[in-house]
Amino acid sequence: MVEIGHHARFQVFPDVTFVPRRGAEAWVDVVDLAKLRKRDPDPPIWKAHRIDFHLFLVVTGGRGRHMVDFEHHGVEPGCLVHIAPKQVQQFDREGSFDAFLLLFVPARMEDLVPRSNWPTVARLPVRDFALIESLTRAMYEVGQDSVHASASRVRPKLLLALLEVAQSAIRASGSGSNWPGESELEAFEVLVESRFAAHRDLSWYARQLGTSARTLTRRARKQWGTGAKEYIDRRVVLEAKRMLVHTDLTVEAIGYQLGFTEATNFVKFFKRFAGTTPAALRASYE
């Protein structure tokens, strides 16, 4: 299912890579969280790690918390939790909730792969979640030796159905804000994702998109409840956090890679949004 990647000497978070169980086409997998806990993988799943695949937690029982990109989310039955490639996650150490882990590589589902506007935690209506849970269990059963159907052929079709159901359910429940191709801010999100390290000036993004900073701010507040400039700044801070715990680069070097010519300015910027210094954040995960 997954394997641990190589990492730098001072890297706090290991890489976890998707490895197919059977054959090159087995790019979708389902794992029972309770059984995974019993296997006691190395490193333990309650230690933070970064993944290179899409992961859904289909929460079926209990209550607990799950960390995604340094934010802790409460989860309970009926929740669908999404973790995207390059994101950092951490399971609760007590093992207080039950779930299936649905993993798939991003290149195979480009049209339906969740983007940043897919909610991290979606609390779905009972009937919709029951269908999602049934589809997940079907994918899990197909992978068992006692089932003769080909997992590499059946699982992708079941995953396609699950994503369609999930999108419709999230739209209906109001858990998601927008979807690929429907949001006027999608182009802004894509541009920020590719250029945030070089540009933090909202006016630059507005010029590239043929609009005004005021228009982007108004649309962002209406859609997300936060300003467009804050969206850029928080993306920079998130990347800084990832680099602090995933590399052995100095604070000064990280700031430089993110467009800061002075380390003191980077530290002030980081503390304003993160509420702590870069050094303190790194130390808290060592």
Coordinates of all heavy atoms in Angstrom, one line a residue, residues 9-83:
R9 N 18.6 14.3 7.2 CA 18.9 13.9 8.6 C 18.0 14.6 9.6 O 17.6 14.0 10.6 CB 20.4 14.3 8.8 CG 20.8 14.0 10.2 CD 22.3 14.4 10.4 NE 22.7 14.2 11.8 CZ 23.9 14.7 12.3 NH1 24.7 15.3 11.5 NH2 24.2 14.5 13.5
F10 N 17.7 15.9 9.4 CA 17.0 16.6 10.4 C 15.5 16.8 10.0 O 14.8 17.5 10.6 CB 17.6 18.0 10.6 CG 19.0 18.0 11.1 CD1 20.1 18.2 10.2 CD2 19.3 17.6 12.4 CE1 21.4 18.2 10.7 CE2 20.6 17.5 12.9 CZ 21.6 17.8 12.0
Q11 N 15.1 16.1 9.0 CA 13.7 16.1 8.6 C 12.8 15.5 9.6 O 13.0 14.4 10.0 CB 13.6 15.4 7.2 CG 12.2 15.4 6.6 CD 12.2 14.7 5.3 OE1 13.1 14.8 4.5 NE2 11.2 13.9 5.1
V12 N 11.8 16.2 10.0 CA 10.9 15.7 11.0 C 9.8 14.8 10.5 O 9.5 13.8 11.0 CB 10.2 16.9 11.8 CG1 9.3 16.4 12.9 CG2 11.3 17.8 12.4
F13 N 9.3 15.1 9.3 CA 8.2 14.4 8.7 C 8.7 13.5 7.6 O 9.3 13.9 6.7 CB 7.1 15.3 8.1 CG 6.4 16.1 9.1 CD1 5.5 17.0 8.7 CD2 6.5 15.9 10.5 CE1 4.7 17.8 9.6 CE2 5.8 16.6 11.4 CZ 4.9 17.6 10.9
P14 N 8.5 12.2 7.7 CA 8.9 11.3 6.6 C 7.9 11.4 5.4 O 6.8 11.8 5.6 CB 8.8 9.9 7.3 CG 7.8 10.0 8.3 CD 7.9 11.4 8.8
D15 N 8.4 11.0 4.3 CA 7.5 10.8 3.1 C 6.9 9.5 3.1 O 7.5 8.5 3.4 CB 8.3 11.0 1.8 CG 8.7 12.4 1.5 OD1 7.8 13.3 1.6 OD2 9.9 12.7 1.2
V16 N 5.6 9.4 2.8 CA 4.9 8.1 2.6 C 4.4 8.1 1.2 O 3.7 8.9 0.7 CB 3.7 8.0 3.6 CG1 2.9 6.7 3.3 CG2 4.2 8.1 5.0
T17 N 4.9 7.0 0.5 CA 4.6 6.9 -1.0 C 3.7 5.7 -1.3 O 3.7 4.7 -0.6 CB 6.0 6.6 -1.7 OG1 6.9 7.7 -1.4 CG2 5.8 6.5 -3.2
F18 N 2.8 5.9 -2.2 CA 1.9 4.9 -2.7 C 2.6 3.8 -3.4 O 3.3 4.1 -4.4 CB 0.8 5.5 -3.6 CG -0.3 4.5 -3.9 CD1 -1.5 4.5 -3.2 CD2 -0.2 3.6 -4.9 CE1 -2.5 3.6 -3.5 CE2 -1.2 2.7 -5.2 CZ -2.4 2.7 -4.5
V19 N 2.5 2.6 -3.0 CA 3.0 1.4 -3.7 C 1.9 0.4 -3.9 O 1.3 -0.1 -3.0 CB 4.2 0.8 -2.8 CG1 4.7 -0.5 -3.5 CG2 5.3 1.8 -2.5
P20 N 1.6 0.1 -5.2 CA 0.5 -0.9 -5.5 C 0.8 -2.2 -4.8 O 1.9 -2.7 -4.7 CB 0.6 -1.0 -7.0 CG 1.3 0.3 -7.4 CD 2.3 0.6 -6.4
R21 N -0.3 -2.8 -4.4 CA -0.2 -4.2 -3.8 C 0.0 -5.2 -4.9 O 0.9 -6.0 -4.8 CB -1.6 -4.6 -3.1 CG -1.8 -3.9 -1.8 CD -3.1 -4.4 -1.2 NE -3.6 -3.6 -0.1 CZ -3.3 -3.9 1.1 NH1 -2.5 -4.9 1.4 NH2 -3.8 -3.1 2.1
R22 N -0.8 -5.2 -6.0 CA -0.7 -6.2 -7.0 C -0.7 -5.5 -8.4 O -1.7 -4.9 -8.8 CB -1.9 -7.1 -6.9 CG -2.1 -7.9 -5.6 CD -3.2 -8.9 -5.7 NE -3.4 -9.6 -4.5 CZ -4.3 -9.3 -3.6 NH1 -5.1 -8.2 -3.8 NH2 -4.5 -10.0 -2.5
G23 N 0.4 -5.6 -9.1 CA 0.4 -5.2 -10.5 C 0.4 -3.7 -10.7 O 0.1 -2.9 -9.8
A24 N 0.9 -3.3 -11.8 CA 1.1 -1.9 -12.1 C -0.2 -1.1 -12.2 O -0.3 0.1 -12.0 CB 1.8 -1.7 -13.4
E25 N -1.4 -1.8 -12.4 CA -2.6 -1.1 -12.6 C -3.4 -1.0 -11.3 O -4.5 -0.4 -11.2 CB -3.5 -1.9 -13.6 CG -2.9 -1.8 -15.0 CD -2.7 -0.4 -15.5 OE1 -3.6 0.4 -15.3 OE2 -1.6 -0.1 -16.0
A26 N -2.9 -1.5 -10.2 CA -3.6 -1.5 -8.9 C -3.3 -0.1 -8.2 O -2.5 -0.1 -7.3 CB -3.1 -2.6 -8.0
W27 N -3.9 0.9 -8.7 CA -3.5 2.3 -8.3 C -4.6 2.8 -7.3 O -4.5 4.0 -6.9 CB -3.4 3.2 -9.5 CG -4.5 3.2 -10.4 CD1 -4.7 2.4 -11.5 CD2 -5.7 4.1 -10.4 NE1 -5.9 2.6 -12.1 CE2 -6.5 3.7 -11.5 CE3 -6.1 5.1 -9.6 CZ2 -7.7 4.3 -11.7 CZ3 -7.3 5.8 -9.8 CH2 -8.1 5.4 -10.9
V28 N -5.5 2.0 -6.9 CA -6.5 2.4 -5.9 C -6.4 1.3 -4.8 O -6.3 0.1 -5.1 CB -7.9 2.4 -6.5 CG1 -8.9 2.8 -5.4 CG2 -8.0 3.3 -7.7
D29 N -6.4 1.7 -3.5 CA -6.3 0.8 -2.4 C -7.2 1.2 -1.3 O -7.5 2.4 -1.2 CB -4.9 0.6 -1.9 CG -4.6 -0.7 -1.3 OD1 -5.6 -1.5 -1.1 OD2 -3.5 -1.0 -1.0
V30 N -7.7 0.3 -0.5 CA -8.5 0.6 0.7 C -7.9 -0.2 1.8 O -7.6 -1.4 1.7 CB -10.0 0.2 0.4 CG1 -10.8 0.5 1.7 CG2 -10.6 0.8 -0.8
V31 N -7.8 0.5 3.0 CA -7.2 -0.1 4.2 C -8.1 0.2 5.4 O -8.6 1.3 5.5 CB -5.8 0.5 4.4 CG1 -5.2 -0.1 5.7 CG2 -4.9 0.3 3.2
D32 N -8.3 -0.9 6.2 CA -9.0 -0.7 7.4 C -8.1 -0.1 8.5 O -7.1 -0.6 8.8 CB -9.5 -2.1 7.9 CG -10.4 -2.1 9.1 OD1 -10.3 -1.1 9.9 OD2 -11.2 -3.0 9.2
L33 N -8.5 1.1 9.0 CA -7.7 1.8 9.9 C -7.4 1.0 11.2 O -6.3 1.0 11.7 CB -8.3 3.1 10.3 CG -7.6 4.0 11.4 CD1 -6.2 4.3 10.9 CD2 -8.4 5.3 11.6
A34 N -8.4 0.2 11.7 CA -8.2 -0.6 12.9 C -7.1 -1.6 12.6 O -6.2 -1.9 13.5 CB -9.5 -1.3 13.3
K35 N -7.1 -2.3 11.5 CA -6.1 -3.3 11.1 C -4.7 -2.6 10.9 O -3.7 -3.2 11.3 CB -6.5 -4.1 9.9 CG -7.7 -5.0 10.1 CD -8.0 -5.8 8.9 CE -9.2 -6.7 9.2 NZ -9.5 -7.5 8.0
L36 N -4.7 -1.4 10.4 CA -3.4 -0.7 10.2 C -2.8 -0.4 11.5 O -1.6 -0.5 11.7 CB -3.7 0.6 9.4 CG -2.4 1.5 9.1 CD1 -1.4 0.7 8.3 CD2 -2.9 2.8 8.4
R37 N -3.6 0.0 12.5 CA -3.1 0.3 13.8 C -2.5 -0.9 14.5 O -1.4 -0.8 15.1 CB -4.2 0.9 14.7 CG -4.7 2.3 14.4 CD -5.7 2.8 15.4 NE -6.3 4.1 15.0 CZ -5.7 5.3 15.3 NH1 -4.5 5.3 15.8 NH2 -6.3 6.4 14.9
K38 N -3.1 -2.0 14.3 CA -2.6 -3.3 14.9 C -1.3 -3.7 14.2 O -0.4 -4.3 14.9 CB -3.6 -4.4 14.7 CG -4.9 -4.2 15.6 CD -5.8 -5.4 15.3 CE -7.1 -5.2 16.2 NZ -8.1 -6.3 16.0
R39 N -1.1 -3.4 13.0 CA 0.2 -3.7 12.3 C 1.4 -2.9 12.8 O 2.5 -3.2 12.6 CB 0.1 -3.5 10.8 CG -0.8 -4.5 10.1 CD -0.4 -4.8 8.7 NE -0.4 -3.6 7.9 CZ -1.4 -3.2 7.1 NH1 -2.5 -3.9 7.1 NH2 -1.3 -2.1 6.4
D40 N 1.0 -1.7 13.5 CA 2.1 -0.9 14.0 C 3.1 -0.5 13.0 O 4.3 -0.9 13.2 CB 2.7 -1.5 15.3 CG 3.5 -0.5 16.1 OD1 3.3 0.7 16.0 OD2 4.5 -1.0 16.8
P41 N 2.8 0.2 12.0 CA 3.8 0.5 10.9 C 4.9 1.4 11.4 O 4.7 2.1 12.4 CB 2.9 1.2 9.8 CG 1.8 1.8 10.6 CD 1.5 0.8 11.7
D42 N 6.0 1.4 10.7 CA 7.1 2.2 11.1 C 7.3 3.3 10.0 O 7.6 2.9 8.8 CB 8.4 1.4 11.2 CG 9.6 2.2 11.7 OD1 9.4 3.3 12.3 OD2 10.7 1.8 11.4
P43 N 7.2 4.6 10.3 CA 7.0 5.1 11.6 C 5.5 5.0 12.0 O 4.7 4.8 11.1 CB 7.3 6.6 11.4 CG 7.0 6.9 10.0 CD 7.4 5.6 9.3
P44 N 5.2 5.1 13.3 CA 3.8 5.0 13.7 C 2.9 6.0 13.0 O 3.3 7.1 12.7 CB 3.8 5.3 15.2 CG 5.3 5.0 15.6 CD 6.1 5.4 14.4
I45 N 1.6 5.7 12.7 CA 0.8 6.6 12.0 C 0.4 7.8 12.9 O -0.1 8.8 12.4 CB -0.5 5.9 11.5 CG1 -1.3 5.3 12.7 CG2 -0.2 4.8 10.5 CD1 -2.7 4.8 12.2
W46 N 0.6 7.7 14.2 CA 0.3 8.9 15.0 C 1.4 9.9 15.0 O 1.3 10.9 15.6 CB 0.0 8.5 16.5 CG 0.9 7.5 17.1 CD1 0.8 6.2 17.2 CD2 2.2 7.9 17.8 NE1 1.9 5.7 17.9 CE2 2.7 6.7 18.2 CE3 2.8 9.1 18.0 CZ2 4.0 6.6 18.9 CZ3 4.0 9.0 18.7 CH2 4.6 7.8 19.1
K47 N 2.5 9.6 14.3 CA 3.5 10.6 14.0 C 3.3 11.3 12.7 O 2.9 10.6 11.7 CB 4.9 10.0 14.0 CG 5.4 9.6 15.4 CD 6.9 9.3 15.5 CE 7.3 9.1 16.9 NZ 8.8 8.9 17.0
A48 N 3.4 12.6 12.6 CA 3.1 13.3 11.4 C 4.0 12.8 10.2 O 5.1 12.5 10.4 CB 3.3 14.8 11.6
H49 N 3.3 12.8 9.0 CA 4.0 12.4 7.8 C 3.4 13.1 6.6 O 2.3 13.5 6.7 CB 4.0 10.9 7.7 CG 2.6 10.3 7.7 ND1 2.0 10.0 8.9 CD2 1.7 10.0 6.8 CE1 0.8 9.5 8.7 NE2 0.6 9.5 7.4
R50 N 4.1 13.1 5.5 CA 3.6 13.7 4.3 C 3.4 12.6 3.2 O 4.2 11.7 3.1 CB 4.6 14.7 3.7 CG 4.1 15.6 2.6 CD 5.1 16.7 2.2 NE 6.3 16.1 1.6 CZ 7.2 16.9 1.0 NH1 7.1 18.2 1.0 NH2 8.3 16.3 0.5
I51 N 2.3 12.8 2.5 CA 1.9 11.7 1.5 C 2.0 12.3 0.1 O 2.0 13.5 -0.1 CB 0.5 11.2 1.8 CG1 -0.6 12.4 1.6 CG2 0.3 10.6 3.1 CD1 -2.0 11.9 1.7
D52 N 2.2 11.3 -0.9 CA 2.3 11.7 -2.3 C 1.1 11.2 -3.1 O 1.1 11.1 -4.3 CB 3.6 11.2 -2.9 CG 3.6 9.7 -3.1 OD1 2.7 9.0 -2.6 OD2 4.5 9.2 -3.8
F53 N 0.0 10.9 -2.4 CA -1.2 10.4 -3.1 C -2.5 11.1 -2.4 O -2.4 11.8 -1.4 CB -1.3 8.9 -2.9 CG -1.1 8.4 -1.5 CD1 -2.1 8.4 -0.6 CD2 0.2 8.1 -1.1 CE1 -1.9 8.0 0.7 CE2 0.4 7.7 0.2 CZ -0.6 7.6 1.1
H54 N -3.6 10.9 -3.1 CA -4.9 11.4 -2.5 C -5.4 10.3 -1.4 O -5.3 9.1 -1.7 CB -6.0 11.6 -3.5 CG -5.8 12.8 -4.3 ND1 -6.2 14.0 -3.7 CD2 -5.3 13.1 -5.5 CE1 -6.0 15.0 -4.6 NE2 -5.4 14.5 -5.7
L55 N -5.9 10.8 -0.3 CA -6.4 9.9 0.7 C -7.7 10.4 1.2 O -7.8 11.6 1.5 CB -5.4 9.9 1.9 CG -5.8 9.2 3.2 CD1 -6.1 7.7 2.9 CD2 -4.8 9.3 4.3
F56 N -8.7 9.6 1.3 CA -9.9 9.9 1.9 C -10.0 9.0 3.2 O -9.8 7.8 3.2 CB -11.2 9.5 1.0 CG -11.5 10.6 0.0 CD1 -11.3 10.3 -1.3 CD2 -11.9 11.8 0.3 CE1 -11.6 11.2 -2.3 CE2 -12.1 12.8 -0.6 CZ -12.0 12.5 -2.0
L57 N -10.4 9.6 4.3 CA -10.8 8.9 5.5 C -12.3 8.8 5.5 O -13.0 9.8 5.6 CB -10.3 9.6 6.8 CG -8.8 9.7 6.9 CD1 -8.5 10.4 8.3 CD2 -8.1 8.4 6.8
V58 N -12.8 7.6 5.4 CA -14.3 7.4 5.5 C -14.6 7.0 6.9 O -14.4 5.8 7.3 CB -14.8 6.4 4.4 CG1 -16.3 6.2 4.5 CG2 -14.3 6.7 3.0
V59 N -15.0 7.9 7.7 CA -15.1 7.7 9.2 C -16.4 6.9 9.5 O -17.5 7.4 9.2 CB -15.0 9.0 10.0 CG1 -15.1 8.7 11.5 CG2 -13.8 9.8 9.6
T60 N -16.3 5.8 10.1 CA -17.4 4.9 10.3 C -17.8 4.7 11.7 O -18.9 4.2 12.0 CB -17.1 3.5 9.7 OG1 -15.9 2.9 10.3 CG2 -16.9 3.6 8.2
G61 N -17.0 5.1 12.7 CA -17.3 4.9 14.1 C -16.4 5.7 15.0 O -15.3 6.1 14.6
G62 N -16.9 5.9 16.2 CA -16.1 6.7 17.2 C -16.0 8.1 16.9 O -16.6 8.7 16.0
R63 N -15.2 8.8 17.7 CA -15.0 10.3 17.5 C -13.5 10.5 17.8 O -12.9 9.9 18.7 CB -15.8 11.1 18.5 CG -17.3 11.0 18.2 CD -18.1 11.8 19.2 NE -19.6 11.6 19.0 CZ -20.3 12.4 18.2 NH1 -19.7 13.4 17.6 NH2 -21.6 12.2 18.0
G64 N -12.9 11.5 17.2 CA -11.5 11.8 17.4 C -11.1 13.0 16.7 O -11.9 13.8 16.3
R65 N -9.8 13.2 16.5 CA -9.2 14.3 15.8 C -8.2 13.9 14.8 O -7.6 12.8 15.0 CB -8.6 15.3 16.8 CG -9.5 15.8 17.8 CD -8.9 16.8 18.8 NE -8.4 18.0 18.2 CZ -9.2 19.0 17.9 NH1 -10.5 19.0 18.1 NH2 -8.7 20.1 17.3
H66 N -8.1 14.6 13.7 CA -7.1 14.3 12.7 C -6.5 15.6 12.3 O -7.1 16.6 12.0 CB -7.8 13.6 11.5 CG -6.8 13.0 10.6 ND1 -6.2 11.9 10.9 CD2 -6.5 13.3 9.3 CE1 -5.4 11.5 9.9 NE2 -5.5 12.4 8.9
M67 N -5.1 15.6 12.2 CA -4.4 16.8 11.8 C -4.1 16.8 10.3 O -3.6 15.8 9.8 CB -3.1 16.9 12.6 CG -2.3 18.2 12.3 SD -1.2 18.1 10.9 CE 0.3 17.3 11.6
V68 N -4.4 17.8 9.6 CA -4.1 18.0 8.2 C -3.5 19.4 8.0 O -4.1 20.4 8.4 CB -5.3 17.9 7.3 CG1 -4.9 18.0 5.9 CG2 -6.0 16.6 7.6
D69 N -2.2 19.4 7.6 CA -1.5 20.7 7.4 C -1.6 21.6 8.6 O -1.9 22.8 8.5 CB -2.0 21.4 6.1 CG -1.2 21.0 4.9 OD1 -0.1 20.4 5.0 OD2 -1.6 21.3 3.8
F70 N -1.3 21.0 9.8 CA -1.1 21.7 11.0 C -2.4 22.2 11.6 O -2.4 22.9 12.6 CB -0.1 22.9 10.9 CG 1.1 22.5 10.2 CD1 1.3 22.6 8.8 CD2 2.1 21.9 10.9 CE1 2.5 22.2 8.2 CE2 3.3 21.5 10.3 CZ 3.5 21.6 8.9
E71 N -3.6 21.8 11.1 CA -4.9 22.1 11.7 C -5.5 20.8 12.1 O -5.5 19.8 11.4 CB -5.8 22.8 10.6 CG -5.3 24.2 10.3 CD -6.4 24.9 9.5 OE1 -7.6 24.5 9.5 OE2 -6.0 25.9 8.8
H72 N -6.0 20.8 13.4 CA -6.7 19.7 14.0 C -8.2 19.7 13.8 O -8.8 20.7 14.1 CB -6.3 19.6 15.4 CG -4.9 19.3 15.7 ND1 -4.3 18.0 15.8 CD2 -3.8 20.2 15.8 CE1 -3.0 18.1 16.0 NE2 -2.7 19.4 16.0
H73 N -8.7 18.7 13.2 CA -10.1 18.6 12.8 C -10.8 17.5 13.6 O -10.3 16.4 13.7 CB -10.3 18.3 11.3 CG -9.7 19.3 10.4 ND1 -10.3 20.5 10.0 CD2 -8.4 19.4 9.9 CE1 -9.5 21.1 9.2 NE2 -8.3 20.5 9.1
G74 N -12.0 17.9 14.2 CA -12.8 16.9 14.9 C -13.5 16.0 13.8 O -14.0 16.5 12.8
V75 N -13.5 14.7 14.0 CA -14.2 13.8 13.1 C -15.1 12.8 13.8 O -14.8 12.5 15.0 CB -13.1 13.0 12.2 CG1 -12.3 13.9 11.4 CG2 -12.2 12.1 13.1
E76 N -16.1 12.3 13.1 CA -17.1 11.4 13.7 C -17.7 10.7 12.5 O -17.5 11.0 11.4 CB -18.1 12.3 14.4 CG -18.8 13.3 13.6 CD -19.7 14.3 14.4 OE1 -19.6 14.2 15.6 OE2 -20.3 15.1 13.8
P77 N -18.5 9.7 12.8 CA -19.2 8.9 11.7 C -20.0 9.9 10.8 O -20.7 10.8 11.3 CB -20.1 8.0 12.5 CG -19.5 7.8 13.8 CD -18.8 9.1 14.2
G78 N -19.9 9.6 9.5 CA -20.5 10.5 8.6 C -19.6 11.5 8.0 O -20.0 12.3 7.1
C79 N -18.3 11.6 8.5 CA -17.3 12.5 7.9 C -16.5 11.9 6.8 O -16.1 10.7 6.9 CB -16.4 13.0 9.0 SG -17.1 14.1 10.2
L80 N -16.2 12.7 5.8 CA -15.3 12.3 4.7 C -14.2 13.3 4.8 O -14.3 14.5 4.6 CB -16.0 12.4 3.4 CG -15.2 11.9 2.2 CD1 -15.0 10.4 2.3 CD2 -16.0 12.2 0.9
V81 N -13.0 12.8 5.1 CA -11.8 13.6 5.3 C -10.9 13.5 4.1 O -10.6 12.4 3.7 CB -11.0 13.3 6.6 CG1 -9.9 14.2 6.8 CG2 -12.0 13.3 7.8
H82 N -10.5 14.6 3.5 CA -9.6 14.5 2.3 C -8.2 15.1 2.6 O -8.1 16.2 3.2 CB -10.2 15.3 1.2 CG -9.3 15.4 0.0 ND1 -8.9 16.6 -0.5 CD2 -8.7 14.5 -0.8 CE1 -8.1 16.4 -1.6 NE2 -8.0 15.1 -1.7
I83 N -7.2 14.3 2.3 CA -5.8 14.7 2.4 C -5.2 14.6 1.0 O -5.3 13.6 0.4 CB -5.0 13.9 3.4 CG1 -5.7 13.9 4.8 CG2 -3.6 14.4 3.5 CD1 -6.6 12.8 5.0

